[in-house]
Amino acid sequence: MNAKELIARRVALELHDGDIVNLGIGLPTQVVNYLPQDIHITLQSENGFLGLGPVTEAHPNLVNAGGQPCGVLPGAAMFDSAFSFALIRGGHVDASVLGGLQVDQHANLANWMVPGKMVPGMGGAMDLVTGARRVIIAMEHCAKDGSSKILKQCTLPLTAKNKVSMIVTEMGVFEFEKGQLILKEHAPGVTLEAIKAATDAEFSVAADFKVMPIVVEEGVA
């Protein structure tokens, strides 16, 4: 199981039956592959859908917010961007799962640009982070150069301030409680010392600090 799959499997356990969920492009889209059998969610896409279906059942004339071909499920609704963002800004999305470039110990998120590099724009990221009831950041713990992505203070342009609820990486799970960053879980085989060494941010360790539960298919370790 690679890092991204581990993260997606753990995030899947955070979604509840009946939730309306927006999944960001990249790693977050994998989360739907690992939902427990008794959990059924409705996927919202900011380009105007409620009830997105699997990419494997794509319609040639439909794409999700990331530009990927997608399908829709029976009962799905389609609408314009204005209505879509009214849903998001109005607090009707239960959870938003997004990737991240940086998250800091103050629950700030930077995930939309790296100065000097070509970017398509903010997209719906700012609205999703400020409008969703719960914001889960699914990202690898360190950048490609080995530097921590969980920092004392973000150095990249912010997407939103004080809005992150949870961070899930291949090393562990952090939650923000009353403005404090708390390490709740560690991945199997990952020590607290290893997490501390890979994390720039200051954090507390939960009293019930435990191994990370993940959705595991039969025959998959």
Side-chain angles (χ1 to χ4, degrees):
M1 185 185 305
N2 62 34
K4 291 183 178 180
E5 182 179 336
L6 177 69
I7 295 166
R9 287 178 180 275
R10 176 59 186 85
V11 172
L13 294 176
E14 292 299 313
L15 304 181
H16 306 103
D17 195 48
D19 276 355
I20 295 175
V21 180
N22 186 291
L23 300 177
I25 61 175
L27 192 164
T29 61
Q30 298 182 29
V31 172
V32 291
N33 298 330
Y34 307 113
L35 290 172
Q37 291 186 354
D38 59 340
I39 300 297
H40 301 280
I41 64 174
T42 299
L43 292 180
Q44 189 268 352
S45 184
E46 58 264 38
N47 61 326
F49 296 103
L50 265 179
L52 282 185
V55 172
T56 54
E57 299 174 15
H59 188 284
N61 295 319
L62 296 178
V63 295
N64 62 22
Q68 298 171 308
C70 66
V72 290
L73 300 176
M78 303 178 190
F79 31 78
D80 61 21
S81 291
F83 188 85
S84 182
F85 278 91
L87 287 176
I88 295 168
R89 295 167 182 167
H92 303 291
V93 174
D94 295 297
S96 178
V97 182
L98 299 170
L101 296 172
Q102 296 177 342
V103 181
D104 68 28
Q105 64 194 45
H106 308 291
N108 299 327
L109 170 66
N111 77 338
W112 75 281
M113 74 168 295
V114 176
K117 292 190 177 182
M118 180 71 73
V119 292
M122 174 69 74
M126 184 180 290
D127 297 273
L128 287 166
V129 178
T130 56
R133 296 177 185 176
R134 193 161 185 239
V135 176
I136 302 171
I137 302 304
M139 68 179 188
E140 294 186 70
H141 206 97
C142 295
K144 291 180 180 179
D145 64 2
S147 61
S148 179
K149 294 169 69 173
I150 305 177
L151 308 173
K152 291 183 175 68
Q153 191 76 46
C154 289
T155 58
L156 295 174
L158 294 183
T159 304
K161 296 182 68 175
N162 309 120
K163 291 295 183 179
V164 176
S165 309
M166 171 181 278
I167 309 168
V168 179
T169 79
E170 78 281 10
M171 298 189 78
V173 176
F174 296 82
E175 290 191 51
F176 289 93
E177 296 181 357
K178 298 180 180 179
Q180 300 297 312
L181 180 61
I182 300 175
L183 177 63
K184 294 280 192 170
E185 302 167 6
H186 64 90
V190 177
T191 65
L192 175 58
E193 290 68 27
I195 296 174
K196 287 181 176 179
T199 308
D200 179 69
E202 297 176 358
F203 62 88
S204 302
V205 180
D208 60 346
F209 183 52
K210 60 185 179 182
V211 68
M212 180 193 299
I214 55 174
V215 175
V216 179
E217 296 172 337
E218 186 177 351
V220 178

